[in-house]
């Protein structure tokens, strides 16, 4: 068994799980709500959590700060749509003190981009330098049907506002069978043409949605071999600290990331844990494991109990996940929606 809550050779705090993986990356879902309803993520009539169940922004700050004190270096706020949480900028602002102190290396977010026009400059002022914007298509009609009512113009304007504010933007796109498969080369050329990396994601069986996953899923191995017929792809050795593997595309000069939880298990190098907006810690995206942090958080003003609960959960981090989508397994691999866990 490894040291779970020790310190590194230089005295900095570290969290190491039973498989020797150091946990340095925390993703926090600040709300399960969203202004869109992407069909692979949510059902149209999603029931959201009662607002009273949510941690306050102050509690979220305390929770994030406890993880930073334990060695988390990268913090991503996500959701749901993080920018629809009222006053979320005050959370970014307070968390930015950890960037200033050097305790945190990166504060970032994943967003659908629809509210970015309003928040891009404030994000930059809070020390955010890179963001992920999810965009599965450049076709306005397809965008509307994927998101059920979204307006692509708002997202495109949001992306431009972010770039103008000095934020480096990476585009994330879920590969969807028969929907955007054919558009991936043009999406890539568009992103790379603007100096933005593109990362493709395989659809994962999370939460009950209308229709089966089998109708949505296309393996990225297939997309990659199609791209390889058209472009020169060179594997890159680098990692962003996230689950993507990267290739350089010679013709565009850009980088393409591939997140393949379905066709390739990326668990060996997993450095991440996630917290929901109600304070539940999930140490694996693809397992039902869960630890309640809200109770110890609220039980006392100091962080002793909280820290002990975190250590216990890290000590139980599963080795990996085993998502399957086929005709026999056409139901959620885990019952939580991605919007609750935080993608
Ligand atoms: N609302 C923000 C957004 O869309 O970027 C942040 C939250 S969203 C849950 C984060 C990412 O998860 C998005 O890129 C989205 O496309 C992806 N996602 C949602 N459901 C998914 C699923 N079932 N399988 C794979 N990716 C999914
Ligand atoms: Fe909302 Fe993001 Fe889920 Fe789409 S993927 S419904 S934008 S949380």
């Amino acid at each position: 068994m490894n040291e779970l809550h020790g310190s590194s050779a230089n005295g900095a705090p570290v969290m190491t799980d039973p498989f020797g993986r150091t946990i340095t990356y925390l993703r926090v879902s600040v709300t399960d709500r969203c202004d869109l309803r992407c069909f692979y993520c949510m059902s149209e009539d999603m029931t959201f959590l009662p607002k009273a169940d949510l941690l306050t922004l102050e509690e979220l700050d305390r929770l994030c700060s406890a993880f930073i004190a334990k060695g988390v270096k990268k913090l991503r706020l996500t959701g749901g749509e993080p920018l629809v949480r009222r006053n979320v900028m005050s959370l970014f602002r307070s968390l930015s003190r950890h960037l200033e102190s050097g305790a945190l290396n990166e504060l970032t977010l994943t967003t659908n981009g629809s509210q970015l026009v309003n928040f891009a400059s404030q994000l930059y002022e809070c020390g955010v330098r890179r963001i992920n914007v999810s965009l599965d298509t450049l076709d306005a009609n397809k965008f509307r049907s994927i998101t059920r009512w979204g307006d692509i113009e708002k997202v495109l304007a949001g992306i431009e506002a972010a770039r103008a504010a000095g934020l480096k933007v990476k585009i994330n796109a879920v590969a969807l069978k028969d929907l955007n498969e054919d558009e991936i080369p043009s999406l890539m050329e568009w992103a790379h043409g603007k100096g933005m990396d593109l990362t493709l994601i395989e659809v994962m069986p999370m939460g009950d949605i209308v229709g089966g996953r089998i109708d949505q899923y296309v393996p990225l191995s297939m997309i990659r071999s199609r791209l390889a017929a058209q472009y020169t792809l060179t594997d890159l050795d680098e990692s962003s600290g996230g689950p993507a593997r990267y290739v350089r595309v010679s013709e565009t000069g850009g980088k393409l990331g591939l997140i393949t939880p379905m066709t390739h298990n990326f668990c060996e190098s997993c450095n991440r844990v996630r917290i929901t907006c109600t304070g539940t810690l999930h140490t694996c995206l693809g397992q039902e494991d869960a630890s309640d942090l809200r109770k110890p958080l609220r039980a006392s003003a100091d962080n002793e109990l909280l820290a002990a609960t975190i250590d216990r959960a890290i000590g139980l981090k599963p080795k990996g996940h085993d998502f399957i989508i086929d005709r026999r397994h056409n139901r959620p691999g885990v019952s939580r929606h991605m919007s609750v866990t935080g993608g």
Side-chain angles (χ1 to χ4, degrees):
M1 173 77 71
N2 285 283
E3 192 71 19
L4 297 178
H5 44 97
S7 49
S8 63
N10 64 8
V14 282
M15 282 184 285
T16 310
D17 80 0
F19 304 96
R21 298 169 297 190
T22 304
I23 309 305
T24 53
Y25 184 1
L26 175 67
R27 295 190 179 209
V28 183
S29 174
V30 298
T31 175
D32 63 327
R33 286 165 199 258
C34 188
D35 50 353
L36 303 179
R37 293 287 182 282
C38 303
F39 74 93
Y40 53 78
C41 177
M42 294 188 182
S43 59
E44 191 161 4
D45 57 346
M46 276 295 278
T47 313
F48 294 110
L49 295 163
K51 285 207 172 125
D53 286 2
L54 262 56
L55 294 184
T56 64
L57 293 173
E58 292 72 21
E59 286 173 328
L60 282 169
D61 179 292
R62 202 178 133 205
L63 210 44
C64 293
S65 302
F67 275 90
I68 293 166
K70 288 187 149 298
V72 159
K73 293 286 174 197
K74 176 169 173 177
L75 181 57
R76 178 179 300 278
L77 302 194
T78 177
E81 174 48 41
L83 297 181
V84 304
R85 171 111 193 216
R86 193 191 304 181
N87 218 5
V88 73
M89 271 317 128
S90 69
L91 179 59
F92 278 100
R93 211 162 293 124
S94 66
L95 289 171
S96 70
R97 71 184 184 282
H98 297 298
L99 291 171
E100 282 155 23
S101 74
L104 191 63
N105 294 342
E106 184 169 21
L107 174 61
T108 185
L109 90 155
T110 301
T111 174
N112 64 28
S114 65
Q115 315 279 330
L116 261 180
V117 164
N118 304 323
F119 293 113
S121 323
Q122 293 179 62
L123 287 167
Y124 190 88
E125 282 159 21
C126 294
V128 175
R129 292 293 176 264
R130 301 191 300 176
I131 63 171
N132 290 356
V133 179
S134 304
L135 181 62
D136 304 326
T137 177
L138 289 173
D139 178 304
N141 292 327
K142 257 190 215 174
F143 183 80
R144 192 174 297 278
S145 71
I146 290 172
T147 60
R148 293 202 175 92
W149 55 65
D151 176 0
I152 196 170
E153 291 307 325
K154 284 193 186 156
V155 178
L156 296 177
I159 290 171
E160 288 314 315
R163 283 155 44 84
L167 297 169
K168 192 163 167 47
V169 177
K170 182 168 70 99
I171 303 295
N172 280 347
V174 177
L176 298 162
K177 191 171 166 184
D178 299 331
L179 247 171
N180 65 357
E181 280 180 86
D182 294 348
E183 215 196 313
I184 282 168
S186 53
L187 192 59
M188 183 178 81
E189 299 232 2
W190 169 80
H192 288 180
K194 288 180 179 289
M196 304 186 291
D197 293 339
L198 172 71
T199 291
L200 302 174
I201 309 171
E202 282 175 350
V203 79
M204 290 176 257
M206 300 194 62
D208 254 327
I209 49 154
V210 179
R213 295 287 176 191
I214 192 89
D215 301 327
Q216 305 171 357
Y217 173 60
V218 49
L220 286 189
S221 50
M222 194 188 278
I223 304 272
R224 184 187 166 138
S225 53
R226 280 190 218 145
L227 285 172
Q230 224 178 317
Y231 300 94
T232 317
L233 309 178
T234 311
D235 282 308
L236 297 175
D237 225 7
E238 66 192 78
S239 149
S240 62
R245 284 156 191 258
Y246 290 97
V247 296
R248 174 75 58 198
V249 183
S250 305
E251 289 76 2
T252 61
K255 234 167 41 173
L256 178 71
L258 302 161
I259 301 186
T260 55
M262 304 302 301
T263 50
H264 180 277
N265 221 308
F266 50 51
C267 305
E268 320 79 64
S269 59
C270 182
N271 59 352
R272 295 170 291 285
V273 294
R274 293 171 160 84
I275 307 177
T276 69
C277 51
T278 55
T280 302
L281 173 65
H282 295 291
T283 56
C284 179
L285 180 63
Q287 300 274 1
E288 298 283 2
D289 78 289
S291 309
D292 176 27
L293 299 184
R294 185 171 57 181
K295 223 183 199 165
L297 183 80
R298 290 183 175 170
S300 68
D302 73 49
N303 283 354
E304 214 169 297
L305 195 55
L306 178 63
T309 313
I310 295 172
D311 288 338
R312 209 172 310 120
I314 300 294
L316 295 172
K317 182 169 160 67
K319 188 165 184 202
H321 69 254
D322 200 11
F323 286 136
I324 307 173
I325 297 180
D326 63 19
R327 299 213 175 267
R328 277 186 308 128
H329 299 87
N330 202 9
R331 59 189 154 73
V334 287
S335 53
R336 313 184 297 270
H337 285 89
M338 189 74 128
S339 50
V340 173
T341 317

